[in-house]
Amino acid sequence: MDIIKRIQNHREHEEELKWEGTFGDYLELLRDKPYLAQTAHSRVYNMITEAGVKEGESNKNYSFFDDDIYGLEDSMEKLVEEYFHPAARRLDVRKRILLLMGPVSGGKSTLVNLLKRGLEKYSYTDKGAVFAIKGCPMHEDPLHMIPHHLREEFQADYGIRIEGSLSPLNTMRLEQDFGGRIEDVLVERIFFSEDKRTGIGTFSPSDPKSQDIADLTGSIDFSTIAQFGSESDPRAYRFDGELNKANRGIMEFQEILKCDEKFLWHLLSLTQEGNFKAGRFALISADELIVAHTNEAEYRSFIANKKNEALHSRMIVMPIPYNLKVAEEEKIYEKMIRDSDIRDVHIAPHTLKVAAMFTILTRLKESKKASIDVLKKMYLYDGEVLEGFSDVDVDELRNEFSDEGMSGIDPRYVINRISSTIIKKEMTSINALDVLRSLKDGLGSHASISKEDQERYLEFISLARKQYDDLAKKEVQKAFVYSYEESARTLLDNYLDNVEAYCNKSKLRDPLTGEEMNPDERLMRSIEEQIGVSENAKKAFREEILIRISAYARKGKKFDYQSHERLREAIQKKLFADLKDIVKITTSTKTPDEQQLKKMNEVVATLVDEHGYNPTSANELLKYVGSLLNR
C-alpha cells in the first residue's frame, strides 16, 4: 500500500470516528459508556495497562514501554504502581507534579514522548475517546455545565464524579448562545495532538527576561477590547497558553527547574486544586497530568533552597537511572543506529555487546562484598548464572546502593564515538576493537569526565577488551569446529563407546586387531576436563550421558554431540585445543599453502553464513585470534 493511500485511509478513519451531538445526546452516551468521563490520570493509566501486563514472580512488566524503554522494568513498575495507578483512583498523589529525575540520555524525554504519542493514539480508540464542548479553546469537559447543587444526584444516577467549574468563556456562551439551556449545547469528540495543541502541551524554559507568563496561561487580545469593551470579557482573551491547551491530557515541563519562579508558582494551585489564575477571571479549572524532568544536580540544588519547599511538597520524584543490563544496552544502541544514517554500515557481531559491557561497567558501584567484583556484578545483573550466586544475592546487590545507575557513560557518547569512527575513516565495516579504540580516544575530550573517572574508565576498556578476546576465540573455535564437523562426530562416537564400556564394566574391541581393550580413561578425562568435571564427579557425569542416550533411543531420536549442552561444549573445546596449532599457523602465516587457504576460506564462509559476519569482519576476526594464540 502506498503512502498516499495510507494517509487517505487514516483521514477516512478519523471522519468515521468523529461525533457531534447535543449535551443531551452526550449524556445518553455516558449511560452506556461511563468510562468516557474518565480523568486525565485515569486515561493515562488505562492506556498503559491495556497495552498488556506480564505478571512475574516478584514484579510486573508493562508492555507499553517495551519497544522504547530498555532495562528499566523496575523503574517503570514503580512509576505505574506508585503514581499512575493511585492517581487514576483519585488518590492524593494525582495532586502532585510527576518529576522524572535522572542522568542525561537516561530515557526521561523518551518516556515523556512515549506517553504523549501513546495518548494521541489512545484518543482514537473507544476506551480512550475524549468529548469536549464544541468550539472551546480548552476543549472543556461538558460535565462542567452541570450545576454544583445537582452533582451529587448526578453521581448517584450515573456513577460519575464531576470535578471543576465551567470556564468563563463557556459560562458566557451558555447564557448568550443557548439561553442557559445546557441540554442544547453542542458536544464533539476530539483527538489529542501535540502538533494541533489539543490535549498535549509542552513548555520549555528560555530567557527569564523575555519569556512571558502568557506562554502558560494565555493573554488578552488587545485588538478585540474595543469590540467587547473590557479586558475582563472572556471573548477578549486568548485561552491559548500551554496550560489551556493541555487540558484533558498531559502537560510536559522540559527542564522544569530551569524555569523562572513565577512560572513554577502557577503550578501550586493547578496541582493542588485543579485550577489556575489567568487574566481578570475567576480560577480556571484544568484536568491535566503534569510531568516534568530534570537532572540530579539541578534537583539537589532545588531542594536545598528553602523558598522551594511549597513546590517540592507538591512533587512526586521518580528516579530514572541508566539501564544496568548489557543485553538491554545493546538494544538501545541498535535502536539508535536504526534511527541514524549509519544503519547501512556492517557492525560485526559482539561489537555492540562489548561497547555495552564497557558502558555498564562505568555505571556500576563496587560492592562491599569481597566475593563480587564489578565484572561478576555485570554478568549477574544481565541474568547470567554464576556458580555460587543465587537470585537472592542479585536482589541484595540491587538494594545495596539506592543511586546505582545515576552516573556513568551515557548511550549518546557510545553512538557518537561509533559515528565518529565510521565517518573519519569512511569505514563500511566496524568491529569491537574499532569501537573500543574510539571510546578510549574520546575520553580525553569529554568535558564532564574527570581525570579520576578517566583512569577508571580506561581500566574498564581493558576489562571489556579481555571479554572480547574470550568471545573472539570462542567464535573462531565454533567456526573451526563446524568446519571439522566430521571430526567432532568421530570424537563423540569414540567418547561414547568408552563411556558405555566404563559404565557397563566391559571392554572395547580394537577394530583393527580385534583385541580386547580397557576403556581409554585418558581420552575421556581429556574431554571432561574441558568443562571442569572433577575426578570425583566423572562417574555421575558419564552415567548421566548414558541415561540421556537411552532416553533418546526410547523416543526414536538420534543422539549427537548437539544433544547434550555440556558435552557439546566439551567436544568443541577438546577439538579446538587439538586444532589450536592449526589455527595459529593458518591465521598467522603470510603465505598460506593451498590446504591452509582452503581451510581459511571454509572458516570465513562459516563465520559469514552462520555467525553474521561479512567477509571483511570475518578475516579481521581470524587475524586477531591468530595474534592472540601466538602470544
Side-chain angles (χ1 to χ4, degrees):
M1 187 184 296
D2 63 52
I3 190 64
I4 298 299
K5 186 66 176 173
R6 287 178 182 270
I7 293 170
Q8 289 172 347
N9 288 346
H10 177 75
R11 189 167 61 242
E12 289 167 6
H13 179 59
E14 188 169 327
E15 285 298 322
E16 289 171 5
L17 292 177
K18 283 183 179 178
W19 183 95
E20 184 179 311
T22 65
F23 182 67
D25 297 330
Y26 176 60
L27 290 183
E28 289 302 314
L29 273 182
L30 290 184
R31 280 210 180 272
D32 296 330
K33 301 176 179 180
Y35 56 80
L36 295 176
Q38 63 189 321
T39 64
H41 290 83
S42 175
R43 190 173 290 109
V44 172
Y45 174 70
N46 289 332
M47 170 189 72
I48 293 170
T49 55
E50 284 175 26
V53 184
K54 300 168 192 167
E55 295 276 356
E57 290 183 8
S58 57
N59 61 354
K60 291 180 181 177
N61 181 61
Y62 291 92
S63 302
F64 178 81
F65 305 104
D66 284 353
D67 294 335
D68 294 271
I69 307 293
Y70 301 105
L72 297 179
E73 294 83 6
D74 292 343
S75 296
M76 294 305 100
E77 181 185 14
K78 185 177 180 183
L79 176 64
V80 175
E81 296 300 316
E82 295 187 14
Y83 183 79
F84 289 131
H85 192 184
R89 302 292 295 273
R90 296 181 189 262
L91 292 172
D92 209 50
V93 70
R94 74 191 174 106
K95 298 179 179 179
R96 307 286 182 271
I97 299 168
L98 173 61
L99 179 63
L100 307 175
M101 185 267 292
V104 295
S105 191
K108 303 184 296 295
S109 298
T110 301
L111 174 56
V112 177
N113 285 331
L114 186 60
L115 292 172
K116 293 195 292 188
R117 297 295 84 77
L119 265 183
E120 288 179 342
K121 291 180 183 176
Y122 193 56
S123 67
Y124 282 84
T125 67
D126 179 64
K127 290 288 182 69
V130 188
F131 293 81
I133 296 173
K134 186 177 181 182
C136 174
M138 287 182 59
H139 15 272
E140 188 169 6
D141 187 345
L143 295 181
H144 284 181
M145 292 188 290
I146 294 179
H148 286 269
H149 67 277
L150 294 177
R151 290 186 178 183
E152 283 189 19
E153 195 175 325
F154 177 83
Q155 183 175 353
D157 190 11
Y158 282 79
I160 298 170
R161 180 178 167 188
I162 304 172
E163 294 179 340
S165 300
L166 197 60
S167 66
L169 179 61
N170 285 322
T171 299
M172 176 176 282
R173 289 176 62 202
L174 176 60
E175 293 301 321
Q176 292 190 358
D177 298 346
F178 298 96
R181 294 175 56 82
I182 66 171
E183 63 271 27
D184 293 338
V185 174
L186 293 177
V187 175
E188 65 178 346
R189 182 173 180 178
I190 62 170
F191 303 100
F192 286 160
S193 169
E194 184 172 21
D195 293 338
K196 296 177 181 178
R197 302 186 74 211
T198 305
I200 297 175
T202 304
F203 184 80
S204 299
S206 59
D207 183 3
K209 295 177 181 177
S210 61
Q211 194 158 35
D212 192 348
I213 198 68
D215 294 346
L216 275 184
T217 60
S219 60
I220 296 168
D221 184 353
F222 290 101
S223 66
T224 62
I225 292 177
Q227 179 184 352
F228 298 118
S230 170
E231 292 182 15
S232 59
D233 190 308
R235 292 171 297 179
Y237 196 85
R238 293 194 186 100
F239 293 89
D240 60 356
E242 292 302 319
L243 294 182
N244 305 105
K245 294 300 182 179
N247 187 33
R248 314 293 299 285
I250 190 168
M251 173 70 198
E252 176 192 9
F253 271 80
Q254 297 177 347
E255 300 296 340
I256 186 172
L257 302 184
K258 288 187 173 76
C259 290
D260 188 75
E261 287 182 2
K262 66 182 179 182
F263 293 93
L264 298 180
W265 296 127
H266 266 275
L267 301 181
L268 292 176
S269 175
L270 180 58
T271 52
Q272 194 65 33
E273 307 299 335
N275 51 46
F276 63 92
K277 192 78 173 71
R280 298 178 181 181
F281 307 116
L283 291 169
I284 297 174
S285 296
D287 171 31
E288 50 200 81
L289 186 158
I290 300 175
V291 58
H293 40 91
T294 188
N295 61 52
E296 190 172 11
E298 286 181 344
Y299 175 70
R300 299 297 172 204
S301 174
F302 172 76
I303 59 175
N305 188 342
K306 294 293 183 183
K307 291 195 302 181
N308 298 324
E309 284 182 351
L311 191 58
H312 180 235
S313 67
R314 288 170 171 80
M315 288 179 174
I316 293 287
V317 181
M318 284 288 168
I320 306 294
Y322 284 133
N323 155 62
L324 297 177
K325 298 176 183 176
V326 172
E328 297 299 312
E329 190 72 11
E330 275 189 88
K331 292 178 184 176
I332 294 173
Y333 301 156
E334 287 167 0
K335 182 176 185 293
M336 294 173 85
I337 288 168
R338 281 197 306 271
D339 296 341
S340 74
D341 290 335
I342 63 171
R343 61 184 177 275
D344 296 329
V345 174
H346 174 76
I347 299 176
H350 308 302
T351 299
L352 299 183
K353 181 174 186 175
V354 173
M357 284 179 173
F358 162 70
T359 310
I360 299 300
L361 287 170
T362 68
R363 299 171 184 173
L364 297 176
K365 290 182 177 288
E366 289 275 1
S367 174
K368 295 169 186 173
K369 297 182 179 181
S371 61
I372 298 180
D373 57 23
V374 285
L375 196 61
K376 284 181 181 175
K377 197 177 193 182
M378 178 192 77
Y379 282 121
L380 287 169
Y381 278 10
D382 204 36
E384 294 203 22
V385 178
L386 299 185
E387 191 174 345
F389 298 99
S390 65
D391 291 342
V392 175
D393 295 312
V394 178
D395 290 337
E396 286 179 2
L397 284 173
R398 292 188 191 284
N399 295 326
E400 193 173 7
F401 302 102
S402 61
D403 61 342
E404 190 168 49
M406 297 299 280
S407 61
I409 292 290
D410 62 280
R412 286 184 194 142
Y413 173 74
V414 177
I415 294 300
N416 289 346
R417 297 312 303 166
I418 291 174
S419 304
S420 174
T421 303
I422 292 169
I423 292 167
K424 191 184 297 180
K425 298 185 178 179
E426 296 183 353
M427 300 171 81
T428 57
S429 174
I430 62 169
N431 58 39
L433 295 177
D434 295 322
V435 172
L436 287 177
R437 200 177 296 116
S438 183
L439 289 170
K440 181 180 179 180
D441 293 344
L443 291 177
S445 58
H446 198 298
S448 63
I449 298 178
S450 65
K451 286 286 184 185
E452 184 182 341
D453 282 339
Q454 275 188 45
E455 291 176 9
R456 280 196 315 117
Y457 293 172
L458 287 172
E459 290 176 12
F460 293 145
I461 286 176
S462 299
L463 206 51
R465 167 79 174 266
K466 288 176 184 173
Q467 306 314 300
Y468 175 64
D469 290 351
D470 291 340
L471 287 169
K473 283 188 277 191
K474 285 179 182 176
E475 198 84 308
V476 172
Q477 168 188 315
K478 282 190 278 186
F480 262 88
V481 170
Y482 184 86
S483 298
Y484 282 85
E485 188 75 27
E486 189 61 41
S487 302
R489 281 197 293 268
T490 302
L491 183 59
L492 173 72
D493 291 340
N494 200 354
Y495 174 75
L496 293 179
D497 287 342
N498 282 277
V499 164
E500 188 174 2
Y502 170 85
C503 292
N504 293 332
K505 295 184 172 58
S506 60
K507 291 184 180 291
L508 292 165
R509 191 171 295 278
D510 190 304
L512 294 177
T513 66
E515 293 180 31
E516 288 190 337
M517 305 179 301
N518 289 322
D520 190 341
E521 184 66 24
R522 182 181 294 178
L523 170 71
M524 291 186 288
R525 291 302 295 142
S526 69
I527 291 172
E528 291 157 358
E529 284 171 352
Q530 299 293 331
I531 53 171
V533 176
S534 66
E535 184 71 25
N536 293 332
K538 69 180 183 182
K539 185 172 185 293
F541 181 75
R542 293 168 186 176
E543 289 173 345
E544 179 195 332
I545 296 295
L546 218 56
I547 291 169
R548 181 73 65 90
I549 292 172
S550 300
Y552 268 63
R554 283 197 306 274
K555 295 175 183 176
K557 294 165 67 178
K558 188 180 184 315
F559 184 91
D560 60 28
Y561 91 99
Q562 302 276 4
S563 303
H564 189 285
E565 190 173 337
R566 293 191 70 207
L567 181 58
R568 181 191 65 198
E569 183 185 352
I571 293 289
Q572 286 180 344
K573 285 186 174 180
K574 168 62 177 168
L575 193 58
F576 189 68
D578 293 343
L579 293 171
K580 206 167 193 179
D581 289 338
I582 298 174
V583 175
K584 286 165 64 175
I585 294 168
T586 306
T587 56
S588 60
T589 183
K590 292 182 180 178
T591 55
D593 60 30
E594 187 178 338
Q595 190 63 32
Q596 289 170 341
L597 200 57
K598 180 184 177 185
K599 183 51 60 184
M600 283 276 282
N601 290 337
E602 285 179 6
V603 174
V604 167
T606 300
L607 288 169
V608 172
D609 296 339
E610 303 291 329
H611 300 283
Y613 290 82
N614 70 355
T616 302
S617 59
N619 279 294
E620 287 173 347
L621 177 71
L622 281 176
K623 288 177 185 175
Y624 180 62
V625 170
S627 70
L628 290 176
L629 295 175
N630 278 310
R631 287 177 187 174

